[in-house]
Amino acid sequence: DKVGEQYEPYIYNALNTSKIMIVFGEKPEYFVSPWIRNEWTRYIKKIERNEKRKDSLIVLYKNINPGDLPMALANRQSIDYSSFDASTRLLKHIEKVIEESKKEDSNLTLSPDKMQEFKKDFDYFENELGKITIERCKNSHERVFIPREIDGKIVSRIGKECFIGQSKIKQINLPDSITEIEDLAFSNCQSLEKIHIPNGLTEIGEEAFYNTGIVNLTLPKSVKVIGDSAFCHCRNLKIAELSSGLTSIRERAFQDCKELERVILPDTLVEIANHAFCNCHFLNHIALPDSLLRIGEHAFVGAAFDHITIPSKIKHIEWGTFDYCRLSSISLPDGLETIGNDAFRFSEIE
């Protein structure tokens, strides 16, 4: 009905983000009413697709015979809620599921069953360092967990084009053992909204996250280089927090991130390369750090900020760097030597 349909976006979000579903009823017909059945049926399908834990669906019943439960629920974790210790058993089970989910979310380990499923879904090999490179995703799910170890060997690298074009994936958790994400690793994963960038990562390859759906980005201090076009055309990206340790943002790294509003740059940054933030039309907040030595050609074309302070170590403002920006004022350093053609073209500076 129309009233029910109004709640569908909330139901959809709850089904995707919840760790546990509890189905409760005091009469058999409650469990099979259309909207209730629809929700637990969809949740079971997520379990079958390995998107939810098998023990995360809990059935609570009261004053009915458990044999009257729907067949699809009869073999699930169930608790008679009229029993004296029902609440204690329920809380213990919830705590167990949450705790084990946290372990899996941190990717320190996968359960034996999930490890077997992982091995079916991925190709991987021992690399030159004696560690594991994840080479290819053969069968993706909405949520993907990469383990820290496989057969006792540390997983250290996501290989070139490993997940390219995998349209189902919405969330990926990577272990802190990952030090490198190679070129095009997640390119064109258009549904990918959330990824845990691991603390050990040092380099993000070219086009690694090109045309993904990432909304917020926070990089750990271990990342030194963001490769060419690494986050180019991330159409939903709004905030990018780039932590201390980063030295270089390569060409077109964030080009065409049309919704990008805020970028936090670290005081270790030395270079912003050509076209790095080109066509980020909503970018209205950025502070260039004093460590910066170079801002490349067309680096901020079309940005929305109205004032910018050029750091003291910058000697040259290159061709078209702030072309089509909405600048009404600018602070230039005393040591500035040259300003390239069209550097401030179509600004509002008087």
Side-chain angles (χ1 to χ4, degrees):
D1 56 39
K2 291 185 178 180
V3 175
E5 289 175 359
Q6 293 175 359
Y7 289 96
E8 173 55 27
Y10 304 101
I11 295 171
Y12 177 84
N13 183 63
L15 288 170
N16 282 328
T17 59
S18 62
K19 297 286 188 184
I20 291 173
M21 172 176 273
I22 298 174
V23 185
F24 175 75
E26 294 182 309
K27 295 181 179 180
E29 56 265 31
Y30 291 172
F31 290 96
V32 294
S33 62
W35 277 98
I36 300 300
R37 185 185 186 94
N38 174 59
E39 291 179 33
W40 61 253
T41 299
R42 290 161 69 181
Y43 194 89
I44 287 175
K45 287 180 179 179
K46 286 184 174 293
I47 292 175
E48 293 171 346
R49 293 196 300 264
N50 196 35
E51 295 167 13
K52 302 288 184 181
R53 291 177 56 91
K54 293 178 180 179
D55 57 358
S56 66
L57 177 59
I58 306 170
V59 181
L60 299 183
Y61 61 89
K62 186 176 181 181
N63 302 325
I64 64 172
N65 188 325
D68 293 332
L69 292 171
M71 185 65 67
L73 296 179
N75 60 348
R76 304 286 170 179
Q77 175 70 34
S78 59
I79 298 174
D80 180 356
Y81 209 62
S82 62
S83 61
F84 76 95
D85 62 343
S87 296
T88 301
R89 291 167 58 199
L90 175 62
L91 288 174
K92 283 185 177 180
H93 186 75
I94 290 173
E95 288 173 357
K96 174 177 176 289
V97 172
I98 295 296
E99 185 61 31
E100 291 184 2
S101 294
K102 285 181 179 179
K103 289 180 181 179
E104 292 181 356
D105 286 353
S106 66
N107 297 291
L108 297 178
T109 185
L110 293 182
S111 67
D113 287 346
K114 285 201 171 185
M115 180 59 78
Q116 289 303 313
E117 292 171 356
F118 177 87
K119 289 180 176 182
K120 292 178 183 178
D121 290 342
F122 289 87
D123 289 333
Y124 56 91
F125 63 91
E126 185 175 336
N127 58 40
E128 72 280 3
L129 301 175
K131 298 179 180 181
I132 297 296
T133 294
I134 306 299
E135 182 179 31
R136 184 168 68 98
C137 175
K138 297 182 291 186
N139 180 33
S140 64
H141 305 280
E142 286 189 3
R143 300 179 71 201
V144 174
F145 298 89
I146 304 297
R148 188 176 187 275
E149 294 184 8
I150 298 176
D151 298 331
K153 296 185 182 298
I154 296 294
V155 177
S156 68
R157 188 180 298 161
I158 304 298
K160 183 177 181 179
E161 301 181 0
C162 180
F163 290 89
I164 191 168
Q166 295 284 353
S167 60
K168 290 182 181 179
I169 300 174
K170 293 186 176 181
Q171 179 180 342
I172 293 179
N173 274 41
L174 301 176
D176 289 344
S177 58
I178 295 290
T179 59
E180 185 178 356
I181 296 175
E182 294 189 347
D183 299 349
L184 297 154
F186 300 97
S187 180
N188 285 308
C189 293
Q190 296 186 31
S191 298
L192 178 59
E193 298 173 349
K194 185 177 180 181
I195 184 164
H196 166 69
I197 303 292
N199 289 324
L201 188 69
T202 59
E203 184 170 351
I204 299 174
E206 296 180 8
E207 299 185 40
F209 295 95
Y210 176 89
N211 195 29
T212 61
I214 294 173
V215 177
N216 295 316
L217 174 67
T218 301
L219 295 185
K221 294 180 180 180
S222 57
V223 175
K224 307 300 181 187
V225 177
I226 299 175
D228 293 357
S229 302
F231 296 94
C232 180
H233 202 61
C234 288
R235 63 200 178 280
N236 297 327
L237 183 62
K238 292 184 179 296
I239 300 174
E241 184 174 352
L242 312 180
S243 298
S244 179
L246 183 69
T247 59
S248 179
I249 300 174
R250 297 281 174 80
E251 292 192 8
R252 306 180 194 276
F254 292 91
Q255 180 174 309
D256 294 325
C257 292
K258 304 288 188 180
E259 299 296 322
L260 185 61
E261 298 176 358
R262 181 183 177 92
V263 175
I264 299 173
L265 300 177
D267 57 9
T268 54
L269 189 65
V270 174
E271 177 192 32
I272 297 175
N274 299 347
H275 302 271
F277 294 94
C278 181
N279 293 331
C280 295
H281 298 306
F282 286 91
L283 181 57
N284 56 31
H285 182 92
I286 193 166
L288 303 178
D290 290 336
S291 57
L292 204 59
L293 299 179
R294 178 178 180 250
I295 308 171
E297 298 176 0
H298 301 286
F300 291 99
V301 170
F305 42 73
D306 59 6
H307 176 81
I308 195 75
T309 297
I310 305 300
S312 60
K313 295 178 183 178
I314 295 292
K315 301 298 182 184
H316 308 281
I317 297 178
E318 301 186 20
W319 178 34
T321 299
F322 298 97
D323 196 5
Y324 284 95
C325 287
R326 303 173 189 175
L327 288 168
S328 58
S329 64
I330 185 169
S331 298
L332 300 174
D334 292 338
L336 186 67
E337 297 176 3
T338 62
I339 297 177
N341 292 338
D342 300 329
F344 299 101
R345 186 175 62 151
F346 298 115
S347 70
E348 299 175 7
I349 299 174
E350 297 181 359

